Amino acid sequence: MLSRVVLSAAATAAPALKNAALLGPGALQTARIFHTGQPSLAPVPPLPEYGGKVRFGLIPEEFFQFLYPKTGVTGPYMLGTGLILYFLSKEIYVVTAETFSSIATIGLLIYGIKKYGPSVAEFADKLNEDKLAKLEEAKQASIKSIQDAIDMEKAQQALVQKRHYLFDVQRNNIAMALEVTYRERLHRVYREVKNRLDYHISVQNVTRRKEQEHMINWVEKSVVQSISAQQEKETIAKCIQDLKLLAKKAQAQPVM
Amino acid sequence: MNENLFTSFSTPTLMGLPIIIMIIAFPALLYPTSNRLISNRIRTLQQYLINLILKQMMAIHSPKGRTWSLMLMSLIIFIASTNLLGLLPHTFTPTTQLSINLGLAIPLWAGAVILGFRYKFKTSVSHFLPQGTPILLIPMLIIIETISLFIQPMALAVRLTANITAGHLLMHLIGAATLALFSISTSTALITFIILLLLTILEFAVALIQAYVFTLLVSLYLHDNT
């Protein structure tokens, strides 16, 4: 169709080309290139928000604009009225029974549309809005959950930064435990060694005591053996004499 | 007058060519389709209404019965739109012709019945004998039930035809009465015109109701037989 427009423009521009216009389309068909564009389905182009403006619900506004330069504002109305009266008077449109039923039907339709139109339109808009709101809700919920996950991740990362404190404490604990075990073992070694040494000392003590005792016994025995009977009598008599002397001395002095 | 009354029901021709096929196919052009999620108002309303009718009508069926959803939805939309378009002046309504209604009713009814007899023979045959009948009446009752079964498609078709045709004729007659009374006594014409208004409201309702009833009955036959 565009090719026809181009050709007619060319014909008006240069009348000599008018003959060429007659066999132009045929030549053009063979040279037409198909599928040159890049049709893509996304993103979908938006729908217009409002339809074309119409008057009386039937006649587009462009018609009135089209007639305005020549006939002014009342032009299309005069045209309409004239046409209707012409059809009626010449009985091109015959008034029959159907006329009245059509008046009834179309009157009822117009009344219904005028009365319930806006509410129905609002209902349709609400349906669309609800659909969008649900999808938006899903999207927002998804975004929020991901955001929450990100925040938690950040918190976890912050915690990880402070983990070395925990490790230090644990390291200290372990070092202390090791120290304690070492000291305990050291003490045990000391005790064991002391035990051994004490044993040796007590063995030595016992041996020496035994030797002493044995020696004393031997000495006593040999002394007792060496005391003859005569010496024994003389010693005992001397002891009795000493005792009597002491007794006299003791009685002589008063008790203090 | 006689010629005028019934010419609206004759097969429409345009310059001698029967254009009945185009007239039957025309209502489908009035239902826009789109790939979009959010469309314009008329498409949103259409989607909403079809969803509503679909849910309401196919809720009682089993999954096997629900394979008929497309058929039944197309049926109700076709009958409703042709009836409603027929209310406009000087239009031809296909559903006023018995041929078209029979063409709709017989295949659908036969499909439902044959489905029932093929897959659930015992249940379908048991429909011929209602519960709790006295033994002596059984033969007669079976004959009556068979007749009732075979009359179903006829009843469907004739019901739709008769209702729509009667409505159109009545509107035509009362319109003619208004026209005739217009020159005699205007006030009587006014009363008649008001009657015409009320009748038109009724006709709108009848158009929709008949579509609903037709589809509902077919769906009931389907339910019995799946």
Side-chain angles (χ1 to χ4, degrees), chain B residues 161-177:
Chain B
T161 316
N163 266 305
I164 307 295
T165 315
H168 283 249
L169 270 175
L170 211 53
M171 286 220 297
H172 215 265
L173 281 170
I174 297 189

Side-chain angles (χ1 to χ4, degrees), chain A residues 50-247:
Chain A
Y50 296 104
K53 293 191 91 32
V54 280
R55 266 194 231 190
F56 295 118
L58 280 174
I59 309 159
E61 196 61 40
E62 284 85 4
F63 183 65
F64 292 83
Q65 297 306 320
F66 173 67
L67 289 180
Y68 180 75
K70 286 290 184 291
T71 56
V73 170
T74 52
Y77 296 108
M78 292 308 297
L79 180 64
T81 319
L83 266 175
I84 291 172
L85 288 174
Y86 167 67
F87 285 138
L88 280 172
S89 70
K90 283 268 193 177
E91 293 251 314
I92 297 174
Y93 177 72
V94 184
V95 173
T96 59
E98 208 142 349
T99 312
F100 284 94
S101 71
S102 72
I103 292 175
T105 311
I106 294 184
L108 209 63
L109 274 174
I110 292 178
Y111 171 73
I113 289 174
K114 277 270 181 320
K115 184 147 183 234
Y116 298 111
S119 61
V120 168
E122 223 176 83
F123 178 70
D125 285 342
K126 198 169 91 65
L127 282 174
N128 275 345
E129 219 128 287
D130 285 344
K131 216 193 272 194
L132 275 176
K134 248 200 298 191
L135 293 170
E136 189 71 30
E137 171 77 38
K139 185 173 95 164
Q140 288 304 328
S142 173
I143 288 179
K144 188 167 159 349
S145 78
I146 291 176
Q147 192 64 38
D148 285 345
I150 289 176
D151 288 340
M152 186 143 65
E153 185 64 31
K154 284 223 166 64
Q156 300 281 8
Q157 276 178 355
L159 280 175
V160 162
Q161 291 306 319
K162 307 208 174 57
R163 228 171 23 169
H164 67 278
Y165 288 132
L166 183 69
F167 294 158
D168 281 344
V169 165
Q170 279 180 339
R171 227 177 278 132
N172 283 346
N173 278 353
I174 290 172
M176 240 191 288
L178 282 173
E179 186 78 19
V180 162
T181 321
Y182 170 70
R183 286 196 189 172
E184 202 180 333
R185 285 192 193 157
L186 203 62
H187 185 65
R188 213 170 76 181
V189 160
Y190 168 79
R191 261 191 295 122
E192 290 293 312
V193 166
K194 190 151 132 7
N195 252 358
R196 305 269 192 288
L197 291 176
D198 282 345
Y199 168 73
H200 284 301
I201 289 173
S202 33
V203 157
Q204 270 183 4
N205 283 349
V206 163
T207 322
R208 196 183 294 169
R209 208 159 26 98
K210 278 286 183 252
E211 283 174 1
Q212 271 183 353
E213 279 178 10
H214 184 261
M215 207 184 288
I216 290 170
N217 285 348
W218 183 78
V219 163
E220 275 185 6
K221 201 163 62 171
S222 58
V223 162
V224 163
Q225 269 179 353
S226 70
I227 297 177
S228 63
Q230 179 64 350
Q231 272 184 320
E232 204 174 331
K233 260 194 229 166
E234 280 179 15
T235 318
I236 286 172
K238 196 165 184 300
C239 285
I240 290 169
Q241 251 185 354
D242 282 338
L243 275 169
K244 280 184 185 162
L245 217 67
L246 274 172

Side-chain angles (χ1 to χ4, degrees), chain A residues 44-47 50 93 95-98 100-106 108-109 120-121 123-125 127-128 131-132 135, chain B residues 4 36-41 44-45 47-48 87-91 171-172 175-176 178-179 182 193 196-197 200-201 204:
Chain A
V44 179
L47 284 170
Y50 296 104
Y93 177 72
V95 173
T96 59
E98 208 142 349
F100 284 94
S101 71
S102 72
I103 292 175
T105 311
I106 294 184
L108 209 63
L109 274 174
V120 168
F123 178 70
D125 285 342
L127 282 174
N128 275 345
K131 216 193 272 194
L132 275 176
L135 293 170
Chain B
N4 253 340
R36 295 166 177 272
L37 181 64
I38 311 282
S39 334
N40 48 11
R41 284 170 182 168
T44 317
L45 284 170
Q47 246 176 343
Y48 167 74
L87 291 170
L88 297 171
H90 299 287
T91 47
M171 286 220 297
H172 215 265
T178 322
L179 180 62
F182 205 65
F193 187 68
L196 187 58
L197 270 177
T200 315
I201 297 174
F204 271 104

